[in-house]
Amino acid sequence: AEDRQVLSAEMSLTGIAGQQYRRGGSLVGPAFLVYYSPAFLRTASATDAGGALRVLAEVYRQARAMWPASASSADQDKTVTIRIDQIKDRTAEAIAAGHAWGEVWLLCKRNELEAVVEMSPLEDIALGSFTSSEFYLSTRPL
């Protein structure tokens, strides 16, 4: 239910100040454009549609942690691109299994309007070789 709420809330944002759908939604921003999400959902949902949606919800959750919701019209009028090209051809199970071979998926902030999902060795996390303000990782199981 929580994942459904995250997907509904985030996917209802338009990136245009003052614009919202008739059925509701909030007037906050920035909106997120998750680039390659249709390709990811097409691939991942072939074996586990629920898992694919949980992964997508987690991408939105981590993006919102980087860009907190704001009611300012400047933020409502902003769209942040989240690139998921590195996971677009993977199943949810393959993404979750990365821990088994010592890898983790991170959302890495590139600039004020872009972030990328990237794979990183777990040892980089353990050694602290990343900046906490730039990287957010999910510990939620699928």
Side-chain angles (χ1 to χ4, degrees):
E2 181 186 335
D3 289 335
R4 182 180 301 167
Q5 290 173 338
V6 168
L7 290 170
S8 177
E10 296 297 348
M11 295 176 90
S12 70
L13 300 177
T14 66
I16 299 172
Q19 185 182 57
Q20 69 184 122
Y21 291 100
R22 282 188 205 141
R23 292 196 149 200
S26 54
L27 288 173
V28 298
F32 299 118
L33 168 64
V34 182
Y35 207 77
Y36 291 111
S37 60
F40 168 69
L41 289 174
R42 185 173 41 254
T43 300
S45 66
T47 56
D48 182 8
L53 291 170
R54 283 191 297 278
V55 169
L56 188 58
E58 190 60 27
V59 168
Y60 277 113
R61 211 176 269 111
Q62 297 304 321
R64 187 54 68 200
M66 285 184 179
W67 285 275
S70 167
S72 79
S73 62
D75 284 333
Q76 287 180 35
D77 217 20
K78 186 188 301 182
T79 300
V80 173
T81 301
I82 308 296
R83 289 189 12 244
I84 63 168
D85 36 316
Q86 289 190 23
I87 64 169
K88 72 176 181 217
D89 296 324
R90 298 176 187 260
T91 64
E93 182 180 14
I95 292 166
H99 287 89
W101 56 84
E103 296 172 330
V104 66
W105 291 99
L106 303 172
L107 183 62
C108 307
K109 188 174 184 179
R110 293 292 181 232
N111 57 53
E112 288 307 308
L113 294 175
E114 182 182 25
V116 180
V117 172
E118 294 181 340
M119 183 177 277
S120 181
L122 277 171
E123 64 189 33
D124 287 355
I125 305 293
L127 295 174
S129 60
F130 66 94
T131 305
S132 61
S133 64
E134 295 178 321
F135 296 86
Y136 292 84
L137 93 121
S138 167
T139 56
R140 290 181 67 235
L142 291 178

